[in-house]
Every structure is written in C-alpha cells, then in structure tokens.
Amino acid sequence: MDTAKGKNVASSSATQRWESSSSPSLPSSGSWDYEVFLSFRGEDTRKHFTDHLYNALLDSGIRTFRDNEEIRIGEKIDQELRSAIHRSKIAIPIFSENYSSSKWCLRELVEIVECMKQEDQVGKTHIKVMPIFYHVDPSHIREQTGSYEKAFQEHEKEFDQEEIQGWKKALSEVAELKGWDLENIADGHDGKSIKLIVKEVWNELRKSPLTTSDNLVGINSHVEKIMKLLSIGSNDIQIMGIHGLGGIGKTTIARCIYNKVYHHFEGCCFIANACETFQQRGLVHLQSQLVINILNVENPDIFSVDQGIDMIRQRLSNKKVLIVLDDVDQNIDLNAIIGKRDWFGLGSRIIITTRDKHILDVHVVDETYKPNEMDLDHSLQLFSKHAFKMDRPLKHYLNISKEIVKTTGGLPLALMVIGSFLFGKEESTWEDTMKKLRYIPHEDVQ
C-alpha cells in the first residue's frame, strides 16, 4: 500500500526515482539469479491470477521473482529489488486495471525498460520483456486513457512532471511489445491462459545466447555494419553471407550477431562447424539439427535427405526463424537445408559463413560482408589480452609484441593462438618465437 501522502512528498525527482550510485552490473553467462521477474499490482491480482502464474512457473522449474510492492515504505526502492530486475532473463509486467495507480509498479517498469535497453559489449539486449494485459485494453496503457488516465490525474497532485513523463513513456513502450491479451486467448480463461504463458516462457528460455570470449576486441564495428544490412525490422526473408580468410573472425562475428538478435525470432539454430559435421555425420544430420533446435523436438525422424527437405519446408514455413550455418564449404548442398525462401516464415534471417565467396554467389544471397584484417592498435590489444591478460603489453615487452603482431597480418585467430602460447613464457621463448615467425607461421595457426 502506498504510504506517502500529500503533495511533493519528495523534494526532488532524484529522491523519487530508484536511487543508487550505479546500476547493477550485467550478469555474465550462467550467473542469472532469476529467469522471470513478475511486476504486478498486488490488490488487483496477487491472490488469484499472479499467484497461480507464479506457482505454475515454479512448478515448471522456472526461477521466478515476485515483488511484494504493498509492503514498501518510504520513497526509495532498495538495491535488492533493482538487482533482481537486472539479474533476470525475462520481465513480465502484469497490466491490470489499477497497475498505474501504484508508484512502485511504475518505478519498477521504468527500471525494466532501462534494463531492456542495456546491451553488452557485443550488443546483446540484456532482458526480454513480455507483458500481460490482464483484462485491460492495451491501447489504454499505450495512450494512458481509461483507468490509467485517472491514475495519472492523481499522480499529478503528488509527483513532478519529469518522473511522470518517464512513467508514461515506459508504459507506452512496453504496451507496444508482443505479449498476451487475456481477453483474446484461451477464451478468457485464466487457467488455460497461464498454461500458454508458461509454455511460451519456457520456449523463450530455451533460446539461450551463445558463449563468446570475454576478450573480444574491435567486434562492435562489425556488428553495427551487419545489423544495418540485416534490417531485422523488415518482414522480407533475407539470406546473408559472411566470407573471408580462415581465422579472420567470421564465426565470432556470427555468434555476436546471433546473440544480439535471437530474441526477435520464434525459433533459432546455430550450426557450428557445418563442414566438419557434414563430413562426419552427413547431410541428414544437419537437417535434423535444424529441425530439433527450431521446433524443440527430441527426434524429428528424418531418415533421408528428401524427407528432411519436406519436413523443413512443411514445419518451418510459418515460423520466423534465425538460422546460422557456420563454416560452409562446397560439399554441403545448401538446397537441402535452406533451399527456398518460402520454406521459412516472414521476417526470417539466414546467415552463412564461408571461406568461399563462390558459394554465396551460387546460392544468391541478399547481402555479403567481408571482415577486414584488424588494424595495428586492435591487433596489439587482442594479442595483449592473451599474452599478458591485460589491454597493453608490459613495457619491457612492448617492442617485441609489436613485431610479433605485425607478422600475423591482423588475423584474430593468429593473435589469440600466439598470444596464448607466449603467456607466462621466458623472454628467450619470445625471441625464438619471433625468429620463427619471420619465416613460418606458428604451427597451430598454419
């Protein structure tokens, strides 16, 4: 229950907002405290819909945080609650008739939106927001009409305009997102709606980001260029190719792009080392891997290439999917995996990485991207991260580090392998390595 009464309870907007010297740090892979954060107006839904949803999520093994906003005292929201938001994978605001009458709900929502807009070093959005419209018209939330308008008329008497505008903006932004309108699903029955919500949340959690190195250097420029080419917001079906020398960073770039955009799609699949997998297990296995990852099935029962083609075409044609085929060579028949664009739903994106540009020309991709070699500064930084575990070489090793970096031609893989090889080694080993590199590449790189 809101305890603050009267006009201008807080002397400034700073004390009315969530207060902290800094936002909680973004979690690293595997360090999430919660998978779902529930934001709701207790008096509206606590003892029925929210309670049933909370327990259904727990019963499905989904770690869920629900905030008791009614017991909060004063103007500040503590660090524990902010941390719970920042360390959750999915936020589910439950918009009920009186949601906007609670200042705590509105402040939670502002924090959720800010968290949603945060990105890590490879541009991956931090949190997924999936709103529930609990018997309230989404347009009332977007435009603050109906009960939401009345609530803001009361807030006008107590809070300053800056904070109120922040609340309205957050409501409008979240109400535009894809969510669940309970009036239009499962015939309005809460029980059926909760089952559908839990299933969709579970499927969303299965779309997890790929592991990437903590020592990425110069990756942002590649990500920005490719994002412009992909045009994620458009509904056309696009195929994009990334081509270049071995070791230039094609796979790393593709992984970072995948992590940035995977949450926009109904199904995702990253097939790593496609060339090696094809040689060892064949084309049917690649087809099966695609179907398994996107449809979340254990065994698609594909026993021939033709059967695989039929299943991909029939089962995926209505799904917006993201597919990455990494390290494709001329032996892989792409027509058996991504043969025609109408095999996939509107808005789908397919990315192919290869050393052979001819493969992309034959398959007629929409866009191609060729990463350049790293410049000297970025090369030295990447090398230092592996050779010294820091961004710059030790002063005594600066000159020889620059010499070694120049021999790699700006290839990230070479820089990582040679840097890791030299980590902790004596100076004599550095000198011997430098002499060898003048004549022949490091054997692991070669």
Side-chain angles (χ1 to χ4, degrees):
M1 180 167 54
D2 295 343
T3 58
K5 301 289 184 181
K7 188 175 181 180
N8 293 328
V9 172
S11 59
S12 70
S13 61
T15 58
Q16 291 174 339
R17 296 192 185 89
W18 303 52
E19 297 192 8
S20 174
S21 58
S22 61
S23 296
S25 58
L26 294 180
S28 58
S29 178
S31 67
W32 306 91
D33 290 340
Y34 302 100
E35 290 167 308
V36 171
F37 180 95
L38 295 178
S39 174
F40 57 95
R41 175 61 165 156
E43 292 181 3
D44 287 356
T45 66
R46 177 179 301 284
K47 294 182 179 180
H48 40 95
F49 180 82
T50 296
D51 186 62
H52 296 321
L53 175 60
Y54 174 73
N55 284 287
L57 290 166
L58 292 183
D59 290 343
S60 297
I62 298 172
R63 299 190 308 277
T64 306
F65 182 96
R66 62 174 174 181
D67 173 41
N68 190 351
E69 55 91 17
E70 292 181 336
I71 66 173
R72 300 207 169 276
I73 300 173
E75 292 301 315
K76 295 182 181 180
I77 295 180
D78 57 35
Q79 184 69 9
E80 180 183 358
L81 180 60
R82 298 184 73 244
S83 180
I85 293 173
H86 282 258
R87 302 184 74 81
S88 297
K89 292 184 178 181
I90 296 173
I92 301 181
I94 302 172
F95 292 126
S96 53
E97 184 176 1
N98 297 307
Y99 182 94
S100 63
S101 67
S102 167
K103 63 183 179 184
W104 299 119
C105 288
L106 294 170
R107 286 173 178 164
E108 278 181 3
L109 192 68
V110 169
E111 189 74 11
I112 288 170
V113 170
E114 290 179 359
C115 191
M116 177 181 70
K117 293 178 179 179
Q118 287 182 343
E119 296 181 345
D120 64 14
Q121 63 172 327
V122 298
K124 179 173 70 66
T125 303
H126 172 51
I127 194 170
K128 172 86 171 182
V129 183
M130 306 172 75
I132 294 175
F133 304 100
Y134 185 76
H135 306 300
V136 61
D137 191 328
S139 68
H140 290 175
I141 301 166
R142 287 194 300 269
E143 301 164 13
Q144 291 90 55
T145 57
S147 62
Y148 281 65
E149 181 181 22
K150 293 178 182 178
F152 275 101
Q153 288 173 352
E154 293 300 316
H155 290 322
E156 295 278 355
K157 303 174 183 177
E158 186 174 351
F159 300 100
D160 67 57
Q161 280 299 314
E162 184 181 354
E163 184 165 24
I164 288 175
Q165 290 306 312
W167 293 345
K168 289 183 175 182
K169 183 179 179 182
L171 284 168
S172 297
E173 289 185 21
V174 175
E176 290 286 353
L177 300 175
K178 180 182 178 183
W180 300 278
D181 183 353
L182 297 196
E183 292 289 347
N184 297 316
I185 63 171
D187 300 322
H189 296 157
D190 285 359
K192 292 181 180 179
S193 298
I194 287 172
K195 286 184 178 180
L196 291 173
I197 291 168
V198 172
K199 181 180 179 180
E200 193 165 338
V201 169
W202 179 254
N203 288 337
E204 184 66 31
L205 290 171
R206 290 192 61 172
K207 296 189 296 185
S208 57
L210 303 171
T211 301
T212 56
S213 170
D214 293 331
N215 294 323
L216 298 176
V217 174
I219 199 72
N220 288 337
S221 62
H222 296 300
V223 171
E224 289 173 4
K225 292 173 184 176
I226 292 177
M227 285 299 297
K228 291 179 181 178
L229 295 175
L230 281 176
S231 301
I232 293 297
S234 66
N235 280 329
D236 55 344
I237 302 167
Q238 292 186 15
I239 301 177
M240 179 179 185
I242 302 175
H243 69 96
L245 297 171
I248 198 68
K250 300 182 298 295
T251 299
T252 300
I253 293 170
R255 282 177 172 269
C256 292
I257 290 294
Y258 181 99
N259 283 350
K260 184 173 178 66
V261 304
Y262 74 90
H263 57 279
H264 289 287
F265 299 86
E266 296 176 72
C268 305
C269 179
F270 189 106
I271 298 181
N273 303 314
C275 176
E276 181 179 348
T277 302
F278 170 76
Q279 291 174 352
Q280 294 178 355
R281 309 190 68 172
L283 194 56
V284 168
H285 178 80
L286 291 176
Q287 293 175 319
S288 298
Q289 189 176 345
L290 180 67
V291 174
I292 288 170
N293 288 358
I294 291 179
L295 296 181
N296 295 325
V297 295
E298 293 184 6
N299 187 354
D301 293 326
I302 298 175
F303 302 105
S304 69
V305 172
D306 288 341
Q307 192 177 9
I309 291 173
D310 287 340
M311 181 166 290
I312 293 170
R313 182 172 53 201
Q314 293 174 14
R315 299 292 301 278
L316 304 185
S317 61
N318 64 341
K319 287 188 174 294
K320 179 181 178 181
V321 300
L322 171 66
I323 299 170
V324 179
L325 299 173
D326 177 51
D327 191 23
V328 173
D329 69 4
Q330 59 184 358
N331 294 315
I332 299 176
D333 182 8
L334 289 176
N335 289 320
I337 305 174
I338 52 170
K340 294 183 179 180
R341 283 167 171 73
D342 62 7
W343 290 10
F344 309 101
L346 294 177
S348 293
R349 295 293 183 271
I350 299 168
I351 300 173
I352 302 166
T353 77
T354 181
R355 301 184 187 189
D356 187 355
K357 185 176 182 297
H358 180 67
I359 291 174
L360 306 179
D361 295 333
V362 170
H363 205 72
V364 192
V365 300
D366 299 292
E367 301 284 355
T368 61
Y369 182 77
K370 183 179 180 181
N372 294 322
E373 293 82 1
M374 299 184 78
D375 60 32
L376 184 59
D377 287 341
H378 279 150
S379 295
L380 187 62
Q381 183 182 357
L382 181 59
F383 173 78
S384 299
K385 282 180 175 290
H386 291 271
F388 304 101
K389 308 305 178 186
M390 58 182 67
D391 286 341
R392 299 290 296 177
L394 297 174
K395 186 176 181 180
H396 183 64
Y397 285 87
L398 179 59
N399 290 333
I400 192 170
S401 294
K402 288 182 177 180
E403 286 188 59
I404 290 174
V405 163
K406 289 177 182 178
T407 68
T408 66
L411 290 177
L413 180 58
L415 293 162
M416 290 187 290
V417 170
I418 298 171
S420 297
F421 170 73
L422 291 173
F423 174 69
K425 298 293 176 64
E426 296 178 354
E427 189 174 352
S428 59
T429 303
W430 281 67
E431 296 288 352
D432 289 342
T433 300
M434 185 63 249
K435 291 176 183 178
K436 292 177 181 178
L437 287 172
R438 290 193 179 104
Y439 302 101
I440 185 170
H442 188 282
E443 64 181 47
D444 285 348
V445 178
Q446 186 184 40

